[in-house]
Amino acid sequence: MDVSPPTNRLIGSMPKIGIRPTIDGRLQGVRESLEDQTMNMANNVATFLSKNLRHANGLPVECVIADTTIGGVAEAAACAEKFAREGVGVSLTVTPCWCYGSETMDMDPLIPKAVWGFNGTERPGAVYLAAVLAGYSQKGLPAFSLYSRDVQDSDDTSIPADIQEKLLRFARAGLAVATMRGKSYVSMGGVSMGIAGSIIDPDLFEGYLGMRVEDIDMSEFIRRMQEGIYDPDEFERALEWVKTNCKEGQDVNPPELQRSRERKDEEWAMSVKMALIARDLMVGNLRLTELGFGEEGLGRNGILAGFQGQRQWTDFMPNGDFLEAILNTSFDWNGIRQPYLIATENDALNGICMLFGHLLTGAAQMFSDVRTYWSPDAIERVTGYRPTGMAENGILHLINSGPSALDGTGQQEINGEPAMKPWWEVTSDEAMKCLEATQWCASVTEYFRGGGWSTDYLTRGGMPITMFRINLIQGLGPALQIAEGHTVDLPPEVHDILDERTNPTWPTTWFVPRTTGTGVFTDPYSVMNAWGANHGAFSYGHFGADLITLASMLRIPVYMHNITEEKIFRPSAWNAFGTADREGADFRACANFGPLYRNGVQ
């Protein structure tokens, strides 16, 4: 399976990180003595970030450095003009010395910003850091503080480990903010089965994310299938690939309700067409233009989409499970490529989380029901087995009739352990193992009268994962909850008994959140009981700290998390809203500053 080269499939260039080397503007001795040190600091940071970061599409991250050091307002303005011309979306100011705070600061209200003040005693870079952060707070421009724990010598050009961690956390989150801006959420259909997350709120996307909502009636799928508005050559190639690589599993329908072989083959063909159409609706397809469908060939600049499916569509047409599963996966008939992000049941709130996770990690994202808490007593009562180890206090069953990415099988590996890799690191062998670990079962007709396929696999245990969810609260707005933990294995016979009680044709992940013994993280039951909706997104790794930083940039408060205090990185202004109760301070700060894009898409 070939690996597709990284590419930007959306309209607009990739955001860059702007480095602003500020300096003491006093000439005739002071400024001249600091020019080399200041510019070297900027160059070192740019090299570090460029070497350690990629965009979610796999392209390298570029840094832009101001043409000169910035000693006053004229040079700050020249830097701002260059950043606008170069497409800078994230601003980082660095300095080893005192500078004039309000004269050298970055005044763009929409660009995430941070300041690294060198902690050295020869020159007061840390004093400037404190002074300019006070200016940012006073002017309502929250900025992140980068202040090393240890004093460095003036000729030390290294970047301390604590600064490296915060630089990367800030840059990942800032790039996510800048990447979302101006893109679209493509709402394919409307509200699914009364699920509140699929009641699309344009104000949420416009005010908090800088995105727009594009509404597509589901009849557009029928029109494109009937009128042949898809690439016929790719369809034939994709269908052949599916026949070769997507093995069918059990048909659990009663014999009298099982579809014929001819009907199932028709459902496969329609499912493949639906996948092509959903992708083309998001990002367009030059081939459609060549075929005479110029309008359809443009797409909607969709960085994220949702598919309503149930019930109006699935009561008479094949479900969207295949299109959701294969597009969310990091490979298909075109090889290994960046996942397309599709929210099941058009749950845009879960979709936003999938977008956050992908932009921060570059990996595929999972969409699940947070369906059941199984206590140790209940597991023992039903199966005769009492869980031990991580699962000794119970487990959460993550499962959904809408599928998750095939990467979620856990068949990819990092250092011999199950993983979900950034898509550009996935190998052909790993992709084939994911396919081999997946079965496609004929959908249960009592759920899906129109037929279709259900994705069936079991996630391997031992993966660190982060589960998270945005909920929309009247009078409050969006709020984020986060639970880091691990996937676990159960004995096969125990899994089968528990799985059969729900639906054995859907993908299952057994999850144990990391608990603290207090509050909503007292035990796995407490996490389940405090979860704000029926859905949750999750992906590989513990990146909850990055999510907290990202949420603060967008002014989305976090009301539930199990991230240790030392990893939490928010703008310095948040301290003014309370230091004893960090969660409450986050709510107050977000309410005070308001959504990043108060007036919608910029």
Side-chain angles (χ1 to χ4, degrees):
M1 194 176 292
D2 295 332
V3 179
S4 300
T7 184
N8 178 16
R9 61 195 182 200
L10 298 171
I11 298 168
S13 59
M14 300 308 300
K16 300 173 184 176
I17 300 174
I19 312 294
R20 307 175 72 256
T22 56
I23 198 167
D24 191 324
R26 287 172 286 196
L27 288 168
Q28 301 182 14
V30 177
R31 179 167 184 162
E32 293 89 340
S33 68
L34 295 165
E35 286 283 358
D36 289 344
Q37 183 184 5
T38 304
M39 193 57 79
N40 286 340
M41 191 176 177
N43 285 319
N44 289 341
V45 168
T47 299
F48 170 75
L49 293 174
S50 297
K51 287 176 61 176
N52 288 279
L53 291 172
R54 284 203 199 191
H55 293 288
N57 60 20
L59 290 171
V61 170
E62 296 182 57
C63 293
V64 176
I65 302 175
D67 290 334
T68 67
T69 55
I70 301 169
V73 66
E75 289 155 328
C79 174
E81 193 279 332
K82 179 179 183 179
F83 283 6
R85 185 174 66 249
E86 294 283 345
V88 165
V90 183
S91 170
L92 173 63
T93 298
V94 300
T95 188
C97 61
W98 169 255
C99 318
Y100 303 154
S102 63
E103 298 180 22
T104 60
M105 65 195 299
D106 174 6
M107 295 290 287
D108 190 321
L110 301 182
I111 294 181
K113 47 187 59 59
V115 184
W116 177 23
F118 186 79
N119 188 7
T121 55
E122 291 84 356
R123 295 282 185 176
V127 177
Y128 167 73
L129 172 65
V132 78
L133 288 173
Y136 278 124
S137 297
Q138 187 170 327
K139 294 177 182 296
L141 302 170
F144 290 78
S145 172
L146 294 158
Y147 177 53
S148 179
R149 177 174 291 274
D150 296 317
V151 172
Q152 294 178 260
D153 297 330
S154 61
D155 60 353
D156 185 352
T157 60
S158 66
I159 303 176
D162 58 342
I163 296 296
Q164 289 185 24
E165 181 179 4
K166 289 182 177 179
L167 278 172
L168 292 175
R169 181 153 295 137
F170 166 76
R172 283 192 293 263
L175 288 169
V177 170
T179 301
M180 289 185 283
R181 184 177 171 186
K183 306 304 190 300
S184 302
Y185 176 77
V186 182
S187 175
M188 303 173 184
V191 179
S192 175
M193 299 184 296
I195 294 172
S198 60
I199 303 173
I200 310 303
D201 183 353
D203 290 343
L204 169 64
F205 281 92
E206 294 169 11
Y208 285 89
L209 308 182
M211 292 174 57
R212 67 200 310 150
V213 174
E214 289 290 293
D215 292 299
I216 309 292
D217 191 273
M218 297 208 70
S219 63
E220 178 67 0
F221 281 83
I222 298 174
R223 184 181 79 91
R224 293 196 183 200
M225 283 191 282
Q226 290 183 352
E227 298 185 6
I229 308 176
Y230 54 85
D231 182 347
D233 296 330
E234 184 181 8
F235 165 68
E236 294 297 338
R237 177 163 49 84
L239 185 60
E240 186 59 35
W241 184 89
V242 166
K243 291 178 179 178
T244 302
N245 295 288
C246 297
K247 60 183 181 182
E248 291 186 18
Q250 60 182 327
D251 187 339
V252 300
N253 292 295
E256 67 274 12
L257 295 179
Q258 291 182 6
R259 281 98 71 190
S260 67
R261 181 69 259 171
E262 181 181 15
R263 169 70 184 273
K264 289 178 178 178
D265 289 342
E266 291 175 356
E267 292 171 8
W268 268 124
M270 293 181 69
S271 295
V272 171
K273 291 176 183 178
M274 289 162 61
L276 297 176
I277 291 168
R279 181 202 63 194
D280 293 348
L281 283 166
M282 289 181 69
V283 301
N285 188 342
L286 289 176
R287 180 67 177 136
L288 297 186
T289 302
E290 294 171 359
L291 293 170
F293 305 109
E295 181 181 357
E296 292 84 353
L298 294 173
R300 302 296 181 114
N301 202 31
I303 196 172
L304 173 67
F307 185 83
Q308 175 195 338
Q310 299 184 77
R311 277 192 47 208
Q312 289 81 3
W313 177 268
T314 56
D315 277 359
F316 85 114
M317 296 288 281
N319 62 27
D321 284 22
F322 176 77
L323 84 83
E324 295 164 11
I326 204 64
L327 292 180
N328 278 316
T329 297
S330 57
F331 55 85
D332 61 15
W333 45 87
N334 290 318
I336 296 167
R337 47 90 179 126
Q338 182 185 10
Y340 299 86
L341 302 174
I342 309 283
T344 297
E345 294 158 351
N346 202 22
D347 184 348
L349 299 180
N350 224 47
I352 290 171
C353 291
M354 296 167 70
L355 178 58
F356 287 179
H358 178 62
L359 292 176
L360 291 171
T361 69
Q365 304 296 298
M366 304 279 284
F367 184 116
S368 290
D369 274 2
V370 185
R371 183 164 287 231
T372 308
Y373 165 70
W374 278 100
S375 70
D377 291 342
I379 294 173
E380 187 173 30
R381 177 181 62 81
V382 170
T383 69
Y385 168 81
R386 191 167 189 87
T388 59
M390 282 189 182
E392 65 179 353
N393 294 317
I395 55 178
L396 302 187
H397 192 181
L398 308 182
I399 183 173
N400 194 269
S401 58
S404 290
L406 272 59
D407 303 64
T409 57
Q411 295 299 317
Q412 301 160 21
E413 292 188 349
I414 297 176
N415 298 324
E417 298 295 328
M420 296 168 62
K421 292 181 176 180
W423 70 267
W424 58 84
E425 294 181 3
V426 177
T427 68
S428 179
D429 287 344
E430 289 171 331
M432 296 308 297
K433 287 180 180 178
C434 292
L435 284 163
E436 183 63 28
T438 304
Q439 293 184 335
W440 302 86
C441 300
S443 62
V444 176
T445 52
E446 66 180 3
Y447 276 92
F448 304 113
R449 300 174 187 173
W453 302 92
S454 291
T455 320
D456 180 27
Y457 62 73
L458 173 63
T459 300
R460 289 173 68 188
M463 285 201 299
I465 65 171
T466 301
M467 183 174 75
F468 50 112
R469 167 77 186 186
I470 282 180
N471 295 298
L472 196 56
I473 314 299
Q474 177 69 40
L476 170 65
L480 178 65
Q481 52 188 167
I482 304 167
E484 291 184 343
H486 289 81
T487 64
V488 295
D489 290 319
L490 296 177
E493 63 278 9
V494 175
H495 161 77
D496 288 343
I497 293 171
L498 301 184
D499 203 39
E500 288 282 347
R501 291 175 66 100
T502 299
N503 189 313
T505 70
W506 296 341
T508 279
T509 302
W510 300 111
F511 172 56
V512 176
R514 185 177 67 246
T515 55
T516 62
T518 60
V520 294
F521 285 95
T522 298
D523 53 24
Y525 168 80
S526 302
V527 176
M528 174 75 181
N529 196 42
W531 206 247
N534 54 312
H535 291 154
F538 69 91
S539 189
Y540 177 81
H542 288 160
F543 53 93
D546 287 357
L547 286 168
I548 289 175
T549 296
L550 171 58
S552 69
M553 291 178 178
L554 300 170
R555 323 291 194 251
I556 298 174
V558 180
Y559 70 95
M560 171 181 171
H561 71 81
N562 56 351
I563 315 304
T564 56
E565 182 71 23
E566 66 271 12
K567 289 185 176 295
I568 296 176
F569 190 35
R570 292 184 173 116
S572 63
W574 265 235
N575 291 323
F577 294 88
T579 57
D581 174 15
R582 296 288 188 180
E583 183 174 288
D586 183 34
F587 275 77
R588 291 186 286 274
C590 289
N592 178 74
F593 291 111
L596 180 58
Y597 309 98
R598 292 174 178 82
N599 298 317
V601 177
Q602 303 296 317

